[in-house]
Amino acid sequence: MDFAEQRQAMVAHLRERQDISDSVAAALLAVPRHLFLPGVDPEDAYRDEPIVTKRDDAGRPISSSSQPAIMATMLDQLGVEPGHRVLEIGAGTGYNAALLAHLAGPAGHVVSMDIDEDVVAGAGRHLAAAGATRVEAVCADGAQGYAERAPYDRVIATVGVWDLAPAWLEQLGAGGRLVAPLDLRGVQVSVALERAGDHWAARSVVPCGFMRMRGAFAGPEAVVVLRRDPELMLGLPEWRELGDVLGALDTEPAEVPVGGGEAPYGPGVTMWLALHDTRCCLLTGRLGQGFGMSAGLVDGDAIALLAGEGAHVARGRAPTGPGLAAQGHGPGGAALAADLAGHVRAWAAAGHPEAGDLRIRAYPGSAPGDGRGTVVPKRHTTLVVDFG
């Protein structure tokens, strides 16, 4: 069975919730995702959910088939056209590479790289099973790019990156575009970057969440597995010692109201916290009744999370009053919740900016001292970020 009806249902579901170009929708309809997930029930393969395919010894996910919704968004950010040469960093199951090959057409070519031999071998088998012949799967550290096929019209990273690898920028041809899940102090946004004189400027920004890049180009971000079943993970901008956070989440919270009954909440709060407080964290996993994520603050044995419409908390508690609330768990949780509520109020006073309002400039080396935006130094580049 080719499960064409399931693909049609998946695409219809996605188009009800987001804008998807006709070309990307056609690729999603044409490429059979279940062939890239041979150990998964085909019905499950067409749900709009990420599917973990490999974990490390500590139980941390290190390879997956990404959620179709964010895949579609990033493909539209990338804007692959027929005849394009595309470099993909992070082969995964090979599914995204097959979508890229469909978009690039018979005259195009896709190189998909991964650091793990077994991942590359599996992607190759899946691509062959799906008849995706215009993809070259390469086992190597993606941070070095693949100079043998350069220059590329498009480069996409399907793994979270802390910094922009110089090789990616060097191997992009004139008018090229790079799309990557870029780290902003522990929080990721998918950024589409193009050259703008002496730097790279974002033409679109959307929130996302991807497994982090490994190897020599890995950043300082840390993922702490709090619980394996059901899965619950805590993302940090960099490693630091914490207390019994999981135990804290089992305690009754101290609640601090944020605002009125119509206080809005969106991914922009996560961006705001990341840029304004080094204690920012991202809790991801089975939260309440389903999979989700929540931004908050964590310090020692205490953690504070948002509760209310659009916000998730670990045990699914609703706030006791109207609107949004910060709920602090563990010793010192009340003070942490007060700080979190203060950040959300500041975000609201700024006009509720969202991830799409972010302006991101990436400079090789250091950035000009023009005083605009938050400066986020990386290893090879310096980001200047502000809410436009």
Side-chain angles (χ1 to χ4, degrees):
M1 297 178 62
D2 70 355
F3 292 91
E5 290 185 6
Q6 284 76 7
R7 290 199 293 281
Q8 291 171 357
M10 180 183 73
V11 172
H13 170 81
L14 293 175
R15 291 195 119 171
E16 287 176 358
R17 301 170 187 275
Q18 65 188 74
D19 292 330
I20 300 176
S21 68
D22 289 343
S23 60
V24 169
L28 291 167
L29 288 170
V31 179
R33 190 186 189 207
H34 70 279
L35 293 182
F36 295 85
L37 294 162
V40 175
D41 188 315
E43 296 287 343
D44 292 335
Y46 292 104
R47 301 185 193 280
D48 185 28
E49 295 181 358
I51 298 176
V52 175
T53 55
K54 184 177 180 179
R55 297 176 183 272
D56 66 11
D57 293 340
R60 292 182 291 258
I62 57 175
S63 190
S64 73
S65 180
S66 301
Q67 183 179 7
I70 188 60
M71 295 176 75
T73 295
M74 292 178 68
L75 290 171
D76 271 324
Q77 284 185 291
L78 192 64
V80 175
E81 298 177 4
H84 271 175
R85 300 167 67 86
V86 184
L87 174 65
E88 179 187 42
I89 312 301
T93 65
Y95 177 55
N96 197 66
L99 295 171
L100 291 168
H102 187 278
L103 291 165
H109 187 75
V110 177
V111 175
S112 184
M113 304 183 68
D114 203 282
I115 198 170
D116 289 340
E117 290 185 7
D118 59 333
V119 170
V120 172
R125 290 193 299 271
H126 304 154
L127 288 161
T133 59
R134 297 184 305 278
V135 178
E136 185 177 353
V138 175
C139 182
D141 190 338
Q144 304 305 316
Y146 196 65
E148 288 87 334
R149 299 294 189 198
Y152 299 97
D153 301 287
R154 298 289 187 264
V155 174
I156 181 171
T158 55
V159 60
V161 303
W162 184 72
D163 195 4
L164 301 176
W168 303 342
L169 306 181
E170 293 166 0
Q171 292 172 22
L172 265 175
R177 185 182 306 165
L178 165 68
V179 171
L182 184 60
D183 176 85
L184 298 179
R185 293 183 175 172
V187 176
Q188 290 178 0
V189 288
S190 178
V191 184
L193 294 161
E194 293 183 352
R195 286 186 179 90
D198 65 343
H199 65 282
W200 293 75
R203 54 174 289 142
S204 66
V205 182
V206 297
C208 69
F210 277 78
M211 297 171 191
R212 308 290 176 153
M213 194 167 188
R214 294 173 290 130
F217 208 69
E221 322 95 284
V223 176
V224 180
V225 179
L226 298 178
R227 186 178 62 209
R228 291 199 184 191
D229 187 18
E231 184 175 85
L232 195 61
M233 297 178 293
L234 191 66
L236 305 171
E238 57 186 14
W239 172 258
R240 65 182 188 271
E241 289 292 334
L242 298 175
D244 184 10
V245 176
L246 186 60
L249 287 167
D250 278 332
T251 65
E252 289 299 317
E255 187 170 289
V256 178
V258 172
E262 297 183 358
Y265 172 83
V269 171
T270 305
M271 303 294 107
W272 187 274
L273 288 173
L275 295 173
H276 291 88
D277 199 314
T278 58
R279 299 170 297 174
C280 180
C281 67
L282 195 64
L283 189 70
T284 307
R286 293 290 167 182
L287 310 177
Q289 300 302 311
F291 182 89
M293 62 179 61
S294 180
L297 303 177
V298 63
D299 190 17
D301 291 309
I303 185 170
L305 301 166
L306 292 171
E309 184 177 355
H312 302 280
V313 289
R315 292 179 63 186
R317 294 185 179 90
T320 57
L324 197 64
Q327 294 183 337
H329 303 259
L336 209 58
D339 289 347
L340 177 58
H343 283 304
V344 178
R345 293 191 193 104
W347 169 77
H352 312 108
E354 292 295 329
D357 298 312
L358 280 175
R359 293 191 307 171
I360 301 176
R361 292 169 286 156
Y363 292 86
S366 59
D370 56 15
R372 292 185 298 160
T374 300
V375 176
V376 183
K378 303 286 187 175
R379 195 172 295 134
H380 299 284
T381 58
T382 300
L383 305 182
V384 180
V385 186
D386 64 279
F387 286 97

